[in-house]
Amino acid sequence: RKIETSSGKSVGVGGGESDGGGGSEGGSSEGGGDGGEPEPPRGAGSEAGEGMAVSRRREIRESVREAFIRSYDKYISEAFPAAELRPLPMRDGRCEGGEFVLVNITGVTLVDTLDTLALMGNASEFRRAVAMVSEHYGEAGFDFDVTVSVFEATIRILGGLLSAHLLAESPNRRLYPHRPNGAVADGPVVKALDGNDDEFYDGSLLPLARDLAERMMPAFDTPTGMPYGSVNLRRGVSANETTVASLAGAGSLSLEFMLMSELSDDPSYGCAARKALVALYEHRAENGLVGKHIDIESGDWVEATAGIGSTADSFYEYMAKTHLVFGDNELWSMFSELVSSIDAHTKFGPWYVDVDLGSGLCSRPVFDSLQGFWPG
């Protein structure tokens, strides 16, 4: 899909049309979202037809919405701005907040939730949450003396800010009121889904995203271009930081960093992440496989095990999706070669296993949950 922003850019993203409500309004979520009762998904079948009945699909959809609302409301009322909500143990009948160790930045759950509010069609709560995020980080941005996982901070915070920025700017989503292209400042206004006509988006999420991306850039300063796994947001990479990175951690940054370049007109972010992705591919073995952990300085595989599951999965996902979003045909060719090698050496019947990088012999005949994204 393409999202057309108010600035005229057209950027490819995933996701479908708004599917109803969700989220709270001042801590109260009754009544769902702002967009009215949505129709069941297309192709959902009928009460007597093939597949799951429409009524059952609606029941499941509402149970998901209710679960989200319950947990979101609890986070906002009892944990924010902590990084996460800890339902147990409760104190005085209340939950408490805690740190998300891999990111360790306050507010991360709210940032990671913005796009869910948007996809559920709750325009009023989306706007309130965006304002909370902007106020929480303020002009200082991410000037925290904390060390974060580059991978986790990228997919959760950088990705959360960028996707929410695009959704906020999208005239089709109608999360904010907007003026049609060419309209003067006091011209006609297209109202948001909930009828609001005066809370215009100020673009505040994009500078926050760029600030975070800039603070993670020192991680890419390596002989191979593959990034360190962690970086301190104020001090850069620690002298004691390990030089070992996972395939997924070093190779799952291209979507967010290339989008950052697209929206900022600064190619440095995307170039760094893409270079890392290509470098991992170029260190493949003679049989076309790549390992699971690599030394980012020497380029030697530390874990010479190949597979599509844990610590490797999103490397393949990002290579394909970067092509789909940005039209990078070179990455698609690389991905196709990798798929051929994976099928030739790790597929046994309908299952995929881990194999030795050199010999291609099975080293771990286990199917883990992170392999579930791969069609077999």
Side-chain angles (χ1 to χ4, degrees), residues 85-90 95-96:
L85 173 69
R86 292 182 176 174
L88 295 174
M90 297 184 69
C95 302
E96 61 181 16

Side-chain angles (χ1 to χ4, degrees), residues 74-125:
K74 281 292 184 182
Y75 171 73
I76 293 297
S77 65
E78 301 186 15
F80 180 79
E84 65 181 12
L85 173 69
R86 292 182 176 174
L88 295 174
M90 297 184 69
R91 294 183 179 180
D92 299 325
R94 291 173 59 86
C95 302
E96 61 181 16
E99 296 180 349
F100 178 55
V101 178
L102 292 175
V103 177
N104 199 20
I105 297 176
T106 58
V108 59
T109 291
L110 185 57
V111 174
D112 207 7
T113 302
L114 292 174
D115 57 352
T116 305
L117 290 169
L119 293 174
M120 287 191 172
N122 194 329
S124 58
E125 185 61 21

Side-chain angles (χ1 to χ4, degrees), residues 205-217:
L205 298 181
L206 186 58
L208 285 175
R210 188 168 188 176
D211 177 67
L212 177 62
E214 194 66 37
R215 294 175 184 277
M216 291 193 288
M217 285 295 283

Side-chain angles (χ1 to χ4, degrees), residues 6 42 54 76 106 112 137 142 149 157 175 188 205 236 243-245 257 261 299 301 317 319 346 360 364:
S6 60
R42 291 183 179 88
V54 171
I76 293 297
T106 58
D112 207 7
Y137 296 114
F142 292 93
S149 160
I157 307 182
L175 297 166
L205 298 181
T243 61
V244 176
F257 276 80
S261 285
W301 290 106
E317 175 191 354
M319 189 166 278
T346 74
R364 197 174 76 101

Side-chain angles (χ1 to χ4, degrees), residues 38-229:
E39 290 298 317
R42 291 183 179 88
S46 62
E47 298 292 345
E50 296 182 358
M52 188 181 295
V54 171
S55 59
R56 178 56 179 156
R57 285 178 177 263
R58 183 178 286 115
E59 179 183 339
I60 293 174
R61 182 191 61 194
E62 291 308 311
S63 68
V64 171
R65 190 202 316 279
E66 290 169 4
F68 169 77
I69 291 172
R70 182 170 61 253
S71 58
Y72 176 82
D73 281 353
K74 281 292 184 182
Y75 171 73
I76 293 297
S77 65
E78 301 186 15
F80 180 79
E84 65 181 12
L85 173 69
R86 292 182 176 174
L88 295 174
M90 297 184 69
R91 294 183 179 180
D92 299 325
R94 291 173 59 86
C95 302
E96 61 181 16
E99 296 180 349
F100 178 55
V101 178
L102 292 175
V103 177
N104 199 20
I105 297 176
T106 58
V108 59
T109 291
L110 185 57
V111 174
D112 207 7
T113 302
L114 292 174
D115 57 352
T116 305
L117 290 169
L119 293 174
M120 287 191 172
N122 194 329
S124 58
E125 185 61 21
F126 177 82
R127 293 194 303 274
R128 188 172 82 101
V130 167
M132 291 171 67
V133 168
S134 299
E135 180 180 359
H136 177 65
Y137 296 114
E139 294 184 1
F142 292 93
D143 184 23
F144 297 105
D145 188 11
V146 297
T147 297
V148 300
S149 160
V150 174
F151 170 73
E152 294 287 349
T154 296
I155 65 171
R156 298 180 186 279
I157 307 182
L158 184 59
L161 291 169
L162 290 173
S163 61
H165 170 74
L166 288 176
L167 290 164
E169 282 207 330
S170 172
N172 296 326
R173 289 287 177 180
R174 294 177 57 204
L175 297 166
Y176 283 85
H178 69 276
R179 292 184 173 88
N181 289 337
V184 296
D186 58 351
V189 173
V190 177
K191 295 181 180 181
L193 286 173
D194 61 330
N196 182 278
D197 62 0
D198 59 3
E199 292 183 55
F200 293 92
Y201 176 53
D202 61 3
S204 58
L205 298 181
L206 186 58
L208 285 175
R210 188 168 188 176
D211 177 67
L212 177 62
E214 194 66 37
R215 294 175 184 277
M216 291 193 288
M217 285 295 283
F220 293 93
D221 186 14
T222 68
T224 62
M226 304 172 199
Y228 287 96

Side-chain angles (χ1 to χ4, degrees), residues 178-321:
H178 69 276
R179 292 184 173 88
N181 289 337
V184 296
D186 58 351
V189 173
V190 177
K191 295 181 180 181
L193 286 173
D194 61 330
N196 182 278
D197 62 0
D198 59 3
E199 292 183 55
F200 293 92
Y201 176 53
D202 61 3
S204 58
L205 298 181
L206 186 58
L208 285 175
R210 188 168 188 176
D211 177 67
L212 177 62
E214 194 66 37
R215 294 175 184 277
M216 291 193 288
M217 285 295 283
F220 293 93
D221 186 14
T222 68
T224 62
M226 304 172 199
Y228 287 96
S230 300
V231 65
N232 185 285
L233 295 182
R234 182 177 295 169
R235 306 176 190 274
V237 178
S238 168
N240 299 321
E241 180 62 32
T242 178
T243 61
V244 176
S246 70
L247 180 67
S252 304
L253 311 169
S254 54
L255 284 173
E256 292 85 356
F257 276 80
M258 288 176 71
L259 181 55
M260 186 73 258
S261 285
E262 182 89 7
L263 296 176
S264 65
D265 293 322
D266 183 342
S268 62
Y269 309 110
C271 287
R274 189 185 185 281
K275 180 181 179 181
L277 192 60
V278 172
L280 290 163
Y281 164 83
E282 291 178 340
H283 281 77
R284 66 196 184 282
E286 291 185 2
N287 56 18
L289 296 173
V290 288
K292 289 198 169 187
H293 284 87
I294 195 168
D295 189 298
I296 60 172
E297 292 188 350
S298 68
D300 296 329
W301 290 106
V302 177
E303 184 184 5
T305 301
I308 61 171
S310 175
T311 70
D313 53 332
S314 54
F315 164 76
Y316 301 100
E317 175 191 354
Y318 267 57
M319 189 166 278
K321 287 183 175 179

